[in-house]
Amino acid sequence: MTISSEHADSVNTGGLRNWLLAPEPRGWFQSSAQQTHQGWRKFSLHPLGLAGLAIIVVLIVVALAAPLLTSYDPIVQDMAGRLAPPSASHWLGTDNFGRDVFSRVIYGARTTLYIIMLVTVIVAPLGLLIGTVSGYFGGIVDEVLMRVTDIFLSFPGLVLALGFAAALGPGITNAIIAISLTAWPPIARLARAETLSLRKADYIAAVRLQGATSIAIITRHILPMCIPSVIVRVTLNMAGIIITAAGLGFLGLGAQPPWPEWGSMAASGREFMLDSPWVIAAPGIAIALVSLAFNLVGDALRDVLDPRGSE
């Protein structure tokens, strides 16, 4: 007896659904898949979060496929076609050096993603480690680490980043270091608060009685419990990271010309904003749209990953 392909697909789909909804998972892989499925179902209930996620996915695709989306080099100048208005050949017009604005916005997305990824890789583990160590050990360790954190938090993030960037010198690498130095304290504070509520839990006391070391307790039992909150915090911080990076670029302390970066593009276009508004409008809209997208995704993730947020 033969089974049609449509029937087989429905059987496979039903089997996968039953596997994801099984009341008793068999193994860690099925358990992880079920948690991911449940998280996605909760996330999909937030239409604004889905819209923000769609914008981020488009940003990633555009950054990866930049050479396929435009035939113009974002660096090559054409003074004969400077400040040309939007047209069929230049969708967003050209800047004061005759470079295609659409091409520079697309390639600028690569710079933005590069900054976001490196800053996240630096600040998330650093803030998580400092916060958990401070909250678990307490005493003098907590005092020293939190006073250092308070020093960083006492200054506005953008002002502090400007100070570090000015001291380190212009350049995208120094800008990433400057942003990272100002972005970790809120994460450390959050991780410390989570650790303070976890270190007196019964299961931590049981593990400690079994002879587990402090390092083992922190890495195996406390850090994993803090990660969801840190993910939400980092996602919500993305907008601030993007705006700070754009601010450094706007002041000439970020990515250096002629490499396209949204902040430096806005800085070069401010002189022509009345006669040629597209030069500054395109990167400005890109900064606002991507920042809004990360905020929307962060709000949705807060409801998905933080059970207290849905109460």
Side-chain angles (χ1 to χ4, degrees):
M1 180 178 179
T2 60
I3 301 177
S4 65
S5 59
E6 295 181 358
H7 180 70
D9 292 340
S10 63
V11 171
N12 292 334
T13 302
L16 178 60
R17 181 179 178 82
N18 294 333
W19 183 74
L20 291 173
L21 299 178
E24 297 181 0
R26 299 178 180 178
W28 67 268
F29 180 75
Q30 184 178 3
S31 176
S32 300
Q34 288 182 342
Q35 293 179 359
T36 303
H37 176 67
Q38 293 174 0
W40 170 251
R41 291 180 63 184
K42 293 179 181 179
F43 187 88
S44 63
L45 298 177
H46 297 78
L48 293 179
L50 291 175
L53 180 62
I55 294 174
I56 295 173
V57 171
V58 170
L59 174 71
I60 296 174
V61 172
V62 165
L64 294 176
L68 303 177
L69 297 177
T70 178
S71 58
Y72 293 100
D73 192 311
I75 299 177
V76 174
Q77 302 179 7
D78 181 15
M79 298 304 294
R82 65 188 301 269
L83 298 178
S87 62
S89 56
H90 299 283
W91 292 354
L92 297 179
T94 60
D95 64 5
N96 54 317
F97 291 103
R99 299 170 297 195
D100 184 67
V101 175
F102 177 74
S103 175
R104 290 180 62 79
V105 169
I106 289 179
Y107 278 90
R110 288 186 167 185
T111 306
T112 300
L113 287 177
Y114 177 73
I115 294 174
I116 289 174
M117 288 189 297
L118 285 186
V119 170
T120 302
V121 168
I122 295 172
V123 303
L126 179 62
L128 185 59
L129 180 61
I130 292 176
T132 52
V133 169
S134 176
Y136 182 80
F137 288 103
I140 187 65
V141 175
D142 183 38
E143 285 293 327
V144 172
L145 293 178
M146 285 302 101
R147 295 300 75 78
V148 173
T149 303
D150 290 339
I151 293 174
F152 281 88
L153 289 175
S154 62
F155 296 93
L158 180 57
V159 175
L160 193 59
L162 288 174
F164 283 124
L168 295 173
I172 189 170
T173 301
N174 291 338
I176 291 173
I177 296 174
I179 297 172
S180 301
L181 289 174
T182 62
W184 67 266
I187 299 174
R189 276 290 187 183
L190 176 63
R192 175 181 179 271
E194 293 282 344
T195 304
L196 288 176
S197 63
L198 291 172
R199 69 177 184 177
K200 295 182 180 180
D202 293 339
Y203 76 95
I204 296 295
V207 172
R208 190 182 295 112
L209 290 174
Q210 292 177 358
T213 62
S214 298
I215 296 177
I217 294 175
I218 292 174
T219 56
R220 296 180 183 179
H221 302 284
I222 294 181
L223 280 177
M225 298 298 294
C226 297
I227 288 177
S229 299
V230 170
I231 291 175
V232 174
R233 181 68 187 187
V234 169
T235 306
L236 291 172
N237 281 355
M238 292 298 182
I241 293 172
I242 294 171
I243 294 175
T244 302
L248 294 179
F250 187 87
L251 296 175
L253 297 173
Q256 296 300 294
W259 189 251
E261 193 273 328
W262 292 343
S264 61
M265 290 174 61
S268 63
R270 61 182 173 177
E271 301 179 7
F272 314 98
M273 61 183 303
L274 295 180
D275 298 328
S276 305
W278 57 86
V279 180
I280 192 173
I285 293 174
I287 293 171
L289 191 62
V290 175
S291 300
L292 176 62
F294 276 106
N295 274 334
L296 294 176
V297 172
D299 288 337
L301 284 177
R302 180 173 54 193
D303 295 337
V304 172
L305 297 178
D306 186 3
R308 292 168 294 185
S310 58
E311 291 178 357

